[in-house]
Amino acid sequence: MEDQTTSDKSLYIGIDAGMFKTSVCTSEGKRFTERSTVAYSGENSNNQEQKVVSGKDALDLTNGNIKELFKGELRTEEDIDTCRKFLRSILEKHDIDTSRNTYAILGTPSNASKEYKRKFLELANEVFSGAMLVDELFCASYKNNLPDRSIIVDIGYSKTDISIIDSEVPRENDCLRISCAGKDIDSEIVKLISERWEDSKVTEELASEWKEKYGHLGSGSNNCVVEVPLESGNVQESILEELQLACEFVVTDIVSGIIKLISDIEPELREKLRNNIHILGGTSDLEGLDTFIENELKVLGGGKVISDIDPVYGISEGALEIAKNMPPEFWNQLNAENKTKEMIV
């Protein structure tokens, strides 16, 4: 389908509103990520004069009311208003003008409830001229033109989504969500370090930094020498073994999820699925992850794991491609409907 950006001056946006990070791609070539947190810059969050601070800036506040977003729940009007302010603040921060015709595709989790999707779409339509929600793993597969009967594994911060991809949006029985993900590796690192040094002061935040820099499965490429904070003073030691054990402990559960999904499929389709496994997500760049999963899949006869999707922007890039390729009449209709609602209000 022809890219509509060549024939109009509308702005198209793809958004991956994740639990840990929100990534954005635009048709004007901008790409950025923000931590999915907000805080108010004063003690009284009800004061209209207070400014919403988002991303890493929010975490720097010592007296702010910090709230993590996009957990699959929008229970109250306050939740919706907070997400709305977050979206607007990060767009403003990166000089994105939504006063023009701005159309967005937002990637959402496969198992998100209908109520969450309804509320999320409502707030998105308040921010953009038109918006549509699309399954986030379908967005990633759309951008990368994955072959039919592939498996896509999104290893995030607080959850891992595994889905079978064909030419359509995944159905409920094609998807599996498991709770183990990056945060569990962080927790396991802290636990293993504490077993080695009883007076350890290592936090999950520090463990996450070590994981991102040195995390690996199998033989590590370096000694992973770090400064370990202890009650009695800091020590410089290698934590190679702790990192490896922590990563393997969590990834083994993820592999079990992949095996379960494949095992529930018709036998004639299993070989194609296990040889077309694509990984993405913030925790997918662990050294040796692809080889480790392939070795674990030997119980099914082997498999092929491919790291061909951008771990940060894979979903938002795909969402942008869908936004650009939607027929202009679709976006025009959404824009007209939103303007009608504004007139009624």
Side-chain angles (χ1 to χ4, degrees):
M1 188 178 294
E2 181 183 357
D3 188 336
Q4 302 300 334
T5 58
T6 61
S7 58
D8 65 41
K9 295 183 180 180
S10 300
L11 177 65
Y12 298 92
I13 298 179
I15 299 178
D16 173 17
M19 296 182 188
F20 183 64
K21 289 183 179 179
T22 293
S23 69
V24 179
C25 295
T26 79
S27 56
E28 294 181 339
K30 290 186 178 181
R31 300 201 317 172
F32 57 87
T33 62
E34 292 284 346
R35 175 73 184 266
S36 297
T37 55
V38 299
Y40 292 91
S41 59
E43 295 181 0
N44 184 5
S45 61
N46 294 319
N47 186 340
Q48 295 298 318
E49 298 299 320
Q50 299 304 321
K51 181 180 179 181
V52 174
V53 181
S54 62
K56 293 181 179 179
D57 294 336
L59 302 180
D60 292 334
L61 294 179
T62 56
N63 63 343
N65 178 25
I66 296 176
K67 180 183 293 188
E68 293 192 355
L69 308 175
F70 307 120
K71 295 182 177 180
E73 297 179 352
L74 291 171
R75 294 183 177 180
T76 67
E77 288 300 319
E78 182 182 358
D79 290 339
I80 296 172
D81 188 52
T82 301
C83 290
R84 182 189 299 113
K85 289 178 179 177
F86 171 77
L87 285 175
R88 284 178 170 158
S89 67
I90 64 171
L91 294 172
E92 179 182 348
K93 177 179 178 180
H94 293 275
D95 299 320
I96 294 179
D97 179 15
T98 57
S99 64
R100 58 195 280 197
N101 284 345
T102 307
Y103 304 112
I105 296 289
L106 299 96
T108 54
S110 304
N111 69 339
S113 68
K114 291 182 179 179
E115 181 65 11
Y116 172 80
K117 290 179 180 179
R118 182 185 68 80
K119 291 180 178 179
F120 194 22
L121 183 58
E122 285 179 358
L123 78 86
N125 275 316
E126 294 177 19
V127 177
F128 306 104
S129 305
M132 185 171 73
L133 307 185
V134 177
D135 182 281
E136 58 188 9
L137 297 188
F138 181 80
C139 289
S141 67
Y142 184 91
K143 167 65 177 177
N144 288 271
N145 195 27
L146 300 189
D148 284 353
R149 294 300 175 180
S150 300
I151 286 182
I152 191 166
V153 185
D154 180 7
I155 310 174
Y157 173 70
S158 57
K159 50 80 180 176
T160 296
D161 286 330
I162 309 169
S163 182
I164 295 172
I165 297 293
D166 52 28
S167 58
E168 300 177 351
V169 174
R171 298 167 293 274
E172 186 175 347
N173 60 347
D174 291 333
C175 306
L176 178 65
R177 167 169 287 192
I178 54 180
S179 59
C180 58
K183 65 177 177 57
D184 299 286
I185 296 177
D186 302 341
S187 299
E188 189 65 16
I189 292 172
V190 172
K191 175 186 173 184
L192 293 172
I193 295 292
S194 297
E195 290 175 357
R196 182 172 172 184
W197 292 282
E198 292 184 1
D199 61 341
S200 168
K201 295 171 61 180
V202 173
T203 64
E204 290 190 9
E205 184 176 12
L206 179 58
S208 180
E209 292 179 9
W210 290 342
K211 175 194 67 185
E212 292 179 6
K213 188 173 183 179
Y214 301 113
H216 66 279
L217 296 107
S219 301
S221 60
N222 55 56
N223 291 325
C224 304
V225 176
V226 300
E227 191 167 282
V228 182
L230 308 175
E231 295 287 350
S232 56
N234 297 351
V235 295
Q236 283 197 338
E237 292 284 349
S238 171
I239 57 168
L240 178 69
E241 183 177 354
E242 285 80 8
L243 284 172
Q244 179 180 346
L245 290 174
C247 292
E248 290 183 358
F249 177 77
V250 173
V251 174
T252 297
D253 283 344
I254 294 174
V255 174
S256 297
I258 297 172
I259 291 174
K260 180 181 185 306
L261 200 61
I262 294 175
S263 300
D264 290 341
I265 295 299
E266 297 87 344
E268 61 271 19
L269 299 176
R270 293 173 188 169
E271 181 176 0
K272 187 170 185 180
L273 285 174
R274 62 183 170 82
N275 284 294
N276 281 292
I277 299 174
H278 303 259
I279 56 176
L280 75 153
T283 311
S284 67
D285 56 355
L286 294 172
E287 181 182 340
L289 176 62
D290 49 357
T291 302
F292 182 86
I293 295 176
E294 289 175 356
N295 288 335
E296 293 292 298
L297 289 175
K298 288 179 179 178
V299 296
L300 293 179
K304 180 64 177 176
V305 178
I306 308 160
S307 304
D308 58 347
I309 303 176
D310 190 303
V312 177
Y313 293 103
I315 293 172
S316 53
E317 285 181 338
L320 173 61
E321 288 299 307
I322 296 173
K324 292 191 297 184
N325 291 333
M326 292 296 292
E329 54 269 24
F330 173 82
W331 290 124
N332 291 337
Q333 178 64 28
L334 285 184
N335 197 1
E337 290 174 358
N338 284 340
K339 287 181 179 178
T340 301
K341 290 178 182 177
E342 290 174 5
M343 292 174 63
I344 294 174
V345 173

